[in-house]
Each structure stands twice: as C-alpha cells, then as structure tokens.
Amino acid sequence: VLSGCGVYDGTEIHEASAVLVHLSRGGAHVHMYAPDVPQMHVVDHSKGQPAATESRNVLVESARIARGKITNLAKLTTTDHDAVIFPGGFGAAKNLSTFAVDGKDCKVNKEVERVLKDFHKAGKPIGLCCISPVLAAKVLAGAEVTVGHEEEEGGKWPYAGTAGAIKEMGGKHCVKEAWTVFSLTPSYEAHVDTKNKVVTTPAFMCETELHNIFDGIGAMVKNVLKLTGK
C-alpha cells in the first residue's frame, strides 16, 4: 500500500523498492494499491519546503512507483491476498493518516483503517516499516510494533519521539535496531507480534547506510511471508 511518491510527502521510494525486491526474491505475486485522495501537501524535495501552489493525488503519484500498475485502495480485499505491507515515508503520516499533524490524536484514512482491521480479523500478516507502524498502533489496540529506539542518541534516531506517541495510542513499543552489528555476521531486525501477526522494522527512522535499510526491510518481508504459511 503506497502513499504517494517521495519521502517528504509520500512513500519513501527506497523503502518501496526494497519491499518489492524482497517480495520478488521470496516468490510473492504483488499487487499495489493507494487511496484515491489528495495529498496533504506537495513538498519540493530539492528544498525540503512545501510548494504552496501545487496539489497532487496520492493514487496518481503512487503510480510512478508502481510503473502504472496501481489500484484504488478501496478495491483491496483479504480474499485476494495473503498479506499486506505498508512502506514508510511521510506519506504514511500525512496521506494515510494525520499523524504528522495530530500525533497520538491522529485519524487514519478510512480505507487504510478498513484494510488493517480486515487483515487482522482474517488472521493474515501485516508488514510495516519506518513511520508506518503508527497506523497499526492506532487501529489495532495493543499491537506490538517498533520504530527503533526511544531516544535520539545524538541524531542517530531523529524521530525517536514517535515511540512515545505509539505508547500513548495504546500500542506497545519494542526497541529494535535497524541492524545488529555486534556479531561476525550482522543480522537485520524486525519485530514480530505473533499474536496480531504484525511485523515491523525501523528502516529510515535510523540514520544509517542504505544497505542496512534494505536488509532490515528484508527481515520484515521474510517474516511476513513466513507468517502466511505458504
């Protein structure tokens, strides 16, 4: 499920690409969806500033990542799919919800809320990375998720305050690394809430190298596919 195209006002493109690569490697057949709604705003990514005179549509912008093969989120059903995954990017907090503005008091897009509840009720796994775990924390009471660490640690975890909001929304936050370096062979961490079948990983919540983000997302995808039982 995509939320636009671009980290500051839509889906984080590297995260979406990583999810798609790992799903492909895992033998999954993928369909991409996005809500047919206006973006909260448009950000000039070269300046990091909103472009006040522009407006864009989430579905249309998401089609850029999907290479045109995108479907309105309203048509996503559990009967046709074994799992659902939400990449991160500020679009999850701006277009799929109002978290960027309202924090713990945010509202979630009605179709996003429906999809999360439907997959949860059907016992089918839900994968989320970066900021998107806030969606599960808001919609699925008591869900265990991770957005990484709970302290900024000198800028390594610039969005650490998100963990506090997750707790205030009734979710359980579990501290995880984007990757684990204290071993001869680094491992890449995802938190698996086995009760709710929710799998999360920090991704770009951490300031680290791109390959660590890529492999951390791989751990999330691997666990989502494992939970499908296929």
Side-chain angles (χ1 to χ4, degrees):
V1 177
L2 303 177
S3 61
C5 182
V7 58
Y8 297 127
D9 59 10
T11 300
E12 211 299 320
I13 298 170
H14 296 295
E15 291 181 9
S17 180
V19 168
L20 291 169
V21 169
H22 287 295
L23 285 171
S24 176
R25 183 171 288 146
H29 185 61
V30 178
H31 291 100
M32 283 176 269
Y33 296 84
D36 185 5
V37 296
Q39 290 186 184
M40 172 185 154
H41 61 187
V42 177
V43 174
D44 180 340
H45 281 60
S46 69
K47 299 177 181 177
Q49 297 293 328
T53 61
E54 290 191 48
S55 62
R56 299 188 185 185
N57 177 277
V58 174
L59 180 65
V60 173
E61 291 302 297
S62 297
R64 295 175 181 272
I65 297 174
R67 297 173 61 86
K69 297 180 180 178
I70 193 87
T71 303
N72 190 328
L73 185 61
K75 297 183 179 180
L76 173 55
T77 66
T78 59
T79 55
D80 297 327
H81 301 85
D82 299 307
V84 63
I85 293 179
F86 293 79
F90 281 96
K94 293 179 176 180
N95 303 328
L96 303 188
S97 72
T98 64
F99 183 80
V101 175
D102 300 322
K104 66 180 179 62
D105 298 316
C106 67
K107 295 181 180 180
V108 176
N109 172 278
K110 65 178 183 179
E111 291 298 338
V112 172
E113 182 174 4
R114 176 189 63 80
V115 167
L116 288 168
K117 288 182 176 179
D118 285 355
F119 273 81
H120 182 255
K121 184 178 180 180
K124 295 185 175 183
I126 300 165
L128 312 102
C129 63
C130 195
I131 192 67
S132 67
V134 301
L135 302 172
K138 184 67 176 181
V139 172
L140 306 177
E144 297 178 3
V145 300
T146 188
V147 289
H149 282 208
E150 298 180 358
E151 301 292 336
E152 291 189 17
E153 299 177 24
K156 181 180 177 182
W157 296 92
Y159 310 107
T162 304
I166 285 170
K167 294 176 183 178
E168 291 182 292
M169 289 190 288
K172 179 180 179 181
H173 184 260
C174 302
V175 173
K176 291 284 183 177
E177 303 290 343
W179 81 106
T180 302
V181 295
F182 300 110
S183 63
L184 293 176
T185 304
S187 61
Y188 300 92
E189 295 204 324
H191 180 74
V192 182
D193 178 349
T194 53
K195 177 182 177 181
N196 292 298
K197 291 191 176 181
V198 173
V199 187
T200 52
T201 194
F204 277 109
M205 298 297 276
C206 181
E207 290 291 332
T208 185
E209 291 81 6
L210 181 59
H211 68 275
N212 288 326
I213 305 298
F214 182 88
D215 290 334
I217 288 172
M220 180 267 286
V221 171
K222 182 178 180 180
N223 279 286
V224 167
L225 294 177
K226 182 178 179 181
L227 284 173
T228 67
K230 295 188 175 183

